[in-house]
Amino acid sequence: MKITVIGAGAVGCFYGAMVAKAGFETVLVGRPAHVDAIQRSGLRFESAAFDQHIAIGASTSAQAAKDADIVLLCVKSTDTLSAANEMRPFLKPGAVVISLQNGIDNVPLLQEALPCEVIPAAVYVACEMAGAGHLKHHGRGELIIGMSRGSAGIARLFCEAGVPTTVSADVMVPLWDKLVLNCAYNALSAIVRLPYGDIRAEAAADDTMRNLVAECLAVAHAEGVGMDLDTDRQIERIRQTIPAGQCSSMAQDLSRKRPTEIASLNGTIVRRGLSHGIATPINQAMVALVTLLEKHAGQGG
């Protein structure tokens, strides 16, 4: 069994390391700085339970997907199609691609672009790249994957690797749950560069998160998503999910002057809200502020 991870950022490195630790042949495809560090010393995996270097393959080329049985796609939503085009020539018949990405629009794009089975996954892990080839895990790590002919076996594989994984008959529900969580928290954390604990402690910021969730749920209701549409319960779920000391991945992107996924998160709510005649002014404000910060990073002192 060969597993290739396309997009060796924090999420890709976490799941790649977990399956590699379990003995599966695994290759990470990522940026040169990370690949060079991993090829020299292995992937440093730092968590509350251990701090060790994991022996794992690493490459800068999508050609590493050749002969892979499973491809874990962990790139940003803005890079979905380019990643699909790069790996398509190397996918063997019968390969399975699992989308471990934020947002709800990636799988339809992948299904259209690739000649193989594509399985959506809702990802719940708090982690970051603390340096070249250095993964820092803050907590959680479970997956919810969509139902397909191979999903039960894939879930068993991940569970054997220490990744709690369940198969959902309606994976759009956990995907929307994750979208709501991301829309409520990621942009706020990115704008103020603060972790969740500091944001939640400020009443006005907590109220803003509540309003973001309410807008998201109004759009989800109009879309006919069979999820919990109660704002209070969703807020409580977010409080139980995000570690107090965790800055969002979007905050990390802005601090490193990298493109964010704002268009695929809060931007999705704005676009779908418009299509249903639903106003989403707080999500629109998040899109505007993060886009401005992204475009003018480093300016203004």
Side-chain angles (χ1 to χ4, degrees):
M1 175 72 71
K2 178 182 176 181
I3 299 169
T4 298
V5 180
I6 304 290
V11 169
C13 283
F14 174 79
Y15 290 104
M18 293 298 286
V19 294
K21 280 180 63 183
F24 295 100
E25 180 187 356
T26 308
V27 182
L28 301 174
V29 177
R31 295 185 179 93
H34 290 305
V35 169
D36 289 346
I38 293 166
Q39 288 178 341
R40 282 195 309 270
S41 308
L43 173 68
R44 182 182 174 189
F45 191 139
E46 181 184 358
S47 72
F50 59 85
D51 186 349
Q52 67 185 78
H53 286 78
I54 309 296
I56 190 169
S59 172
T60 58
S61 171
Q63 189 171 354
K66 185 178 180 181
D67 298 325
D69 301 286
I70 297 173
V71 176
L72 306 182
L73 186 63
C74 304
V75 300
K76 284 186 171 62
S77 297
T78 50
D79 296 325
T80 296
L81 279 180
S82 60
N85 289 333
E86 288 174 11
M87 68 171 142
R88 184 172 54 236
F90 307 111
L91 294 175
K92 72 176 186 179
V96 176
V97 173
I98 306 176
S99 168
L100 277 67
Q101 299 172 273
N102 286 326
I104 56 176
D105 296 322
N106 293 298
V107 169
L109 292 174
L110 292 167
Q111 287 174 328
E112 198 168 310
L114 297 175
C116 63
E117 183 176 22
V118 180
I119 300 176
V123 179
Y124 295 91
V125 65
C127 55
E128 63 177 305
M129 296 307 295
H134 179 189
L135 170 71
K136 192 168 185 178
H137 177 228
H138 298 287
R140 302 191 68 176
E142 64 267 31
L143 294 173
I144 303 175
I145 66 174
M147 185 174 287
S148 74
R149 64 180 181 274
S151 292
I154 291 167
R156 284 194 300 272
L157 181 154
F158 277 119
C159 288
E160 288 173 11
V163 176
T165 304
T166 56
V167 179
S168 173
D170 186 2
V171 75
M172 287 307 297
V173 171
L175 287 175
W176 266 87
D177 277 333
K178 181 67 183 298
L179 176 64
V180 170
L181 182 153
N182 282 332
C183 287
Y185 170 63
N186 280 22
L188 269 179
S189 176
I191 291 164
V192 299
R193 311 292 175 90
L194 290 172
Y196 177 56
D198 292 338
I199 293 171
R200 180 182 171 185
E202 180 61 46
D206 199 49
D207 286 343
T208 298
M209 288 184 66
R210 184 177 297 276
N211 291 332
L212 284 164
V213 169
E215 289 181 4
C216 292
L217 296 181
V219 175
H221 176 69
E223 293 268 313
V225 183
M227 65 188 296
D228 186 347
L229 296 172
D230 184 273
T231 300
D232 289 337
R233 287 195 292 270
Q234 287 286 356
I235 288 290
E236 185 57 34
R237 187 174 292 117
I238 290 169
R239 287 174 176 166
Q240 293 173 3
T241 296
I242 305 173
Q246 174 74 10
C247 279
S248 71
S249 58
M250 194 175 291
Q252 296 168 36
D253 287 335
L254 281 182
S255 70
R256 294 164 183 165
K257 297 180 175 58
R258 291 178 182 160
T260 73
E261 293 186 293
I262 190 68
S264 302
L265 300 177
N266 302 78
T268 293
I269 297 300
V270 173
R271 291 190 300 274
R272 296 198 178 203
L274 281 172
S275 71
H276 293 289
I278 297 170
T280 55
I282 312 299
N283 277 278
Q284 178 66 71
M286 296 296 108
V287 173
L289 290 169
V290 171
T291 301
L292 286 168
L293 287 170
E294 191 177 339
K295 287 183 176 179
H296 300 283
Q299 298 182 21

